Amino acid sequence: MRIEYDKDLTDLTTFKVPAKAAIYAEYDSEKDLLALTRTPEFIDNEFLHIGAGSNLLFISPFKGIVLHSAIKGIKTYRKDDDTVFVIAGAGEKWTDLVDFCLENDIAGLENMAGIPGEVGASAVQNVGAYGAEAADFIHSVECFDVETRKTVLLYSEQCRFGYRDSIFKNEAKGKLIVMRVSYRLRKGTEARNLTYRPLKEFADSLQRTPTIRELAEEVVRLRDSKLPDPSLIGSAGSFFKNPEVNEYFFQEEIRTRGIEMPVYPAGKEGFVKLSGAWLIDHSGLKGSSIGGAEVWPGQPLVIANTGGATGSQVAELADHVVKTVKLKYGIELEPEVNYIDTDIKVTVLGSGTSKGVPEIGCTCPTCMSTDPKDKRLRASVLMETHGLRILIDASPDLRQQALRLGLSRLDAILLTHQHYDHVGGIDDVRPFCIHRDLPIFANPQTAHDLRKRLDYCFREHPYPGVPRLDLHEVECRPFKINGLEVIPIEVMHGKLPIYGYRIGDFAYVTDAKTLDEKEKEKLLGLEVLILNCLRLNQPHFAHLILPEAIALIEELKPRRCYLTHTNHQLGRYAEVSKLLPPGVEFAYDGEVITIKHQPHIHIHHE
Ligand code: EPU
């Protein structure tokens, strides 16, 4: 095991943009990995497992521990008449595995010749090209479970492979580490998969079935003609996925506008797959650049680092591509590349109580104030981290809030509870459901209420065009959204138990009146707390008022605290702000709060 600190990772990623990690560790066996997971470096920090770094974009340095597998070895282990099983260590290069197969007359992987990356990533990412994907051949995956510290074997069907997707990118992210992958392949030298049109044409030109070696060479030639040469120009292969959109959207927004474009069957029912390259090309983006980052003319799904690009420039260009395509076709491209960004950005979308400020018909000084900070929509925040955009609560003002912010993508919604001012905007999430059913997380009571309130969304055959929701009931223990850990905190809203949420060093607690001691413990050591505070001094049965909120803040000691869910009786922002102790502020609509993640580094004495 080798542990290094403040490690430069630029040359360990294919993008070649500046990249760093607070801690870096490499292991070469299961025993070594087990020992590593017992070190304080591992226990106290978030981890990120990398392969050849061919799918990562560093926006900020990674402030936890980066792991890399050096588990090697490729061998065949079971044969019958025409099947061969090949098992390879996660740290082997994918191209070495393909070469091994070609040398030993083992067929199957030849369509995927030339894909950069390592064997571990072939399972995580379900890599694919030219009519084949790793999942077609993966028999099983040997993993290390970091929670139980045991080895587990997942058979192919347990890996939930999808298009560039698997369980390792979702539920098992941050839990299972791939150690070895076993592939079920075929003995022989005949290349049989000619489904990709240019390969069929190649076979036709030979007037016979190509050998696996010939096919692999043709694939590499095709790749070279389209993709930048990885030894000269940094990239992550395709930057975007080919978008899948639901058939209703496709019919209503594309077909009815008379736009002709390539359409392919999607992996999931009710969806079609479109060509990302076509969309980018027809949006006139080929060759667009920001700094050293360029939309690659040979294959516009690729963003290349033609020299000296930074992660932020690549991200800015990607954003420009997404916005331009969205404007022209209404389709939102989704990056296939993982953004490494451990900082958390929180945007306050609304900071008012259930009636908002001003209240309808009220002429009090706060409601009449012209200060924008006294205009409070119903409470909700947007949280952005690790490339994910998560909304906490869907207020009845969601439409206005999303338009104001230019919000066009959401990865999930966390609901605190079922009161109308926190869920009333759910029907407005329809634009976020074009590409997938939108995941929503809530406690069982809220989920139950939502199914009743929005029964039209949960019928077996819903009216086309209703929001497509993927509702998850969560118990009060940590769960993950795309690998991001979310800790629910149970707080009492009067007599109603509801949730607050903690993510890293940030927590959002609204509509609280009281908390149990053990729930308070979950809120210690915060960088930022957003907490509800209804008004200055008239007590309320279900909400904290200012003196109560301050007493709680003194107990929890967050470094910074922002008060939200306030009503007009609070008074004007400019005046009441003077009453607050240092480190405490009233939140206001549109406020952006940034939380920098701090690594926990231990000095080793060997
Ligand atoms: N097209 C354009 N303009 C262009 C290039 C292509 O309109 O400039 C159109 C083509 O006419 C075609 C379509 O786009 O209809 C598809 O092009 P291509 O065959 O190159 O495939 P792709 O869908 O763009 C995918 C994978 C690649 C893989 C190729 C070949 C994804 C995100 N990308 O690209 O994988 O090599 O197919 O199988 O699925 C990677 O994942 O990193 C990667 C490079």
Side-chain angles (χ1 to χ4, degrees), residues 186-429:
R186 185 166 45 79
K187 262 192 227 163
T189 55
E190 200 178 85
R192 292 198 190 150
N193 181 350
L194 302 172
T195 46
Y196 189 79
R197 200 177 340 120
L199 296 182
K200 172 82 174 59
E201 286 162 9
F202 170 65
D204 291 346
S205 73
L206 293 179
Q207 295 185 314
R208 62 175 167 79
T209 309
T211 65
I212 51 177
R213 195 172 282 278
E214 286 168 336
L215 190 105
E217 281 165 6
E218 178 61 11
V219 162
V220 169
R221 203 188 58 72
L222 275 172
R223 291 186 75 90
D224 288 349
S225 70
K226 288 186 178 181
L227 302 170
D229 177 350
S231 65
L232 300 174
I233 291 174
S235 87
S238 293
F239 193 94
F240 300 102
K241 286 186 183 178
N242 285 316
E244 297 182 316
V245 300
N246 69 47
E247 279 169 354
Y248 179 74
F249 168 85
F250 185 68
Q251 188 57 38
E252 286 301 300
E253 305 292 334
I254 304 290
R255 279 276 186 261
T256 53
R257 284 163 65 194
I259 303 168
E260 288 300 329
M261 63 169 76
V263 192
Y264 306 94
K268 47 190 186 187
E269 211 181 308
F271 286 79
V272 293
K273 194 194 246 176
L274 306 175
S275 163
W278 188 96
L279 291 165
I280 299 173
D281 190 3
H282 288 76
S283 301
L285 288 160
K286 270 188 181 176
S288 300
S289 65
I290 293 180
E294 181 183 333
V295 177
W296 192 247
Q299 165 49 294
L301 268 188
V302 173
I303 293 184
N305 173 7
T306 57
T310 62
S312 307
Q313 286 171 341
V314 173
E316 211 184 309
L317 181 59
D319 209 43
H320 173 66
V321 170
V322 171
K323 289 205 166 112
T324 311
V325 170
K326 173 96 183 172
L327 199 66
K328 182 144 187 205
Y329 296 105
I331 293 165
E332 178 119 356
L333 292 175
E334 188 192 345
E336 183 188 304
V337 168
N338 295 314
Y339 285 49
I340 306 306
D341 192 1
T342 37
D343 294 344
I344 301 178
K345 179 177 158 193
V346 177
T347 308
V348 178
L349 300 180
S351 58
T353 48
S354 56
K355 292 185 202 154
V357 182
E359 277 193 14
I360 295 174
C362 180
T363 54
C364 79
T366 313
C367 288
M368 298 302 279
S369 163
T370 51
D371 182 350
K373 290 180 179 166
D374 288 323
K375 310 251 179 259
R376 301 178 182 277
L377 297 177
R378 268 66 68 85
S380 152
V381 295
L382 178 73
M383 205 200 62
E384 295 168 77
T385 185
H386 292 79
L388 297 172
R389 284 185 210 167
I390 298 174
L391 183 70
I392 310 186
D393 283 340
S395 103
D397 299 317
L398 178 59
R399 178 174 177 280
Q400 193 180 344
Q401 292 165 335
L403 289 173
R404 195 184 261 184
L405 194 69
L407 183 64
S408 62
R409 198 195 89 218
L410 261 192
D411 296 288
I413 302 181
L414 298 172
L415 294 176
T416 59
H417 64 300
Q418 65 269 35
H419 285 172
Y420 181 78
D421 52 327
H422 297 262
V423 301
I426 291 186
D427 194 81
D428 284 328
V429 302

Side-chain angles (χ1 to χ4, degrees), residues 339-576:
Y339 285 49
I340 306 306
D341 192 1
T342 37
D343 294 344
I344 301 178
K345 179 177 158 193
V346 177
T347 308
V348 178
L349 300 180
S351 58
T353 48
S354 56
K355 292 185 202 154
V357 182
E359 277 193 14
I360 295 174
C362 180
T363 54
C364 79
T366 313
C367 288
M368 298 302 279
S369 163
T370 51
D371 182 350
K373 290 180 179 166
D374 288 323
K375 310 251 179 259
R376 301 178 182 277
L377 297 177
R378 268 66 68 85
S380 152
V381 295
L382 178 73
M383 205 200 62
E384 295 168 77
T385 185
H386 292 79
L388 297 172
R389 284 185 210 167
I390 298 174
L391 183 70
I392 310 186
D393 283 340
S395 103
D397 299 317
L398 178 59
R399 178 174 177 280
Q400 193 180 344
Q401 292 165 335
L403 289 173
R404 195 184 261 184
L405 194 69
L407 183 64
S408 62
R409 198 195 89 218
L410 261 192
D411 296 288
I413 302 181
L414 298 172
L415 294 176
T416 59
H417 64 300
Q418 65 269 35
H419 285 172
Y420 181 78
D421 52 327
H422 297 262
V423 301
I426 291 186
D427 194 81
D428 284 328
V429 302
R430 281 172 289 163
F432 307 120
C433 306
I434 293 168
H435 302 284
R436 79 188 76 72
D437 296 359
L438 184 66
I440 299 190
F441 299 83
N443 69 16
Q445 177 65 45
T446 305
H448 173 78
D449 187 86
L450 228 53
R451 285 196 192 92
K452 267 201 322 203
R453 185 191 293 274
L454 300 168
D455 75 305
Y456 63 97
C457 301
F458 295 100
R459 288 184 194 149
E460 203 178 330
H461 300 291
Y463 178 81
V466 305
R468 299 170 68 123
L469 311 174
D470 176 18
L471 183 58
H472 299 256
E473 277 182 28
V474 286
E475 298 298 335
C476 195
R477 39 173 190 269
F479 63 93
K480 288 194 170 161
I481 302 177
N482 288 8
L484 178 73
E485 186 175 69
V486 180
I487 304 170
I489 292 118
E490 190 170 87
V491 303
M492 296 306 291
H493 181 28
K495 288 191 178 139
L496 181 71
I498 68 170
Y499 282 173
Y501 293 101
R502 176 175 186 154
I503 291 116
D505 293 337
F506 163 68
Y508 184 79
V509 174
T510 187
D511 290 50
K513 176 72 178 174
T514 54
L515 279 92
D516 264 7
E517 291 307 312
K518 73 174 199 322
E519 298 302 304
K520 282 183 191 166
E521 269 173 37
K522 296 184 191 168
L523 292 169
L524 296 177
L526 287 171
E527 180 65 30
V528 168
L529 170 65
I530 299 187
L531 181 67
N532 61 297
C533 168
L534 185 69
R535 54 196 179 202
L536 288 186
N537 41 35
Q538 303 111 292
H540 188 277
F541 74 99
H543 286 275
L544 293 168
I545 57 164
L546 188 61
E548 295 165 337
I550 301 238
L552 183 60
I553 295 164
E554 278 167 6
E555 263 186 83
L556 302 176
K557 298 190 174 51
R559 288 171 68 119
R560 284 178 284 158
C561 185
Y562 297 82
L563 300 172
T564 191
H565 209 281
T566 59
N567 80 1
H568 66 156
Q569 294 158 326
L570 180 79
R572 284 193 296 233
Y573 178 91
E575 281 156 28
V576 289

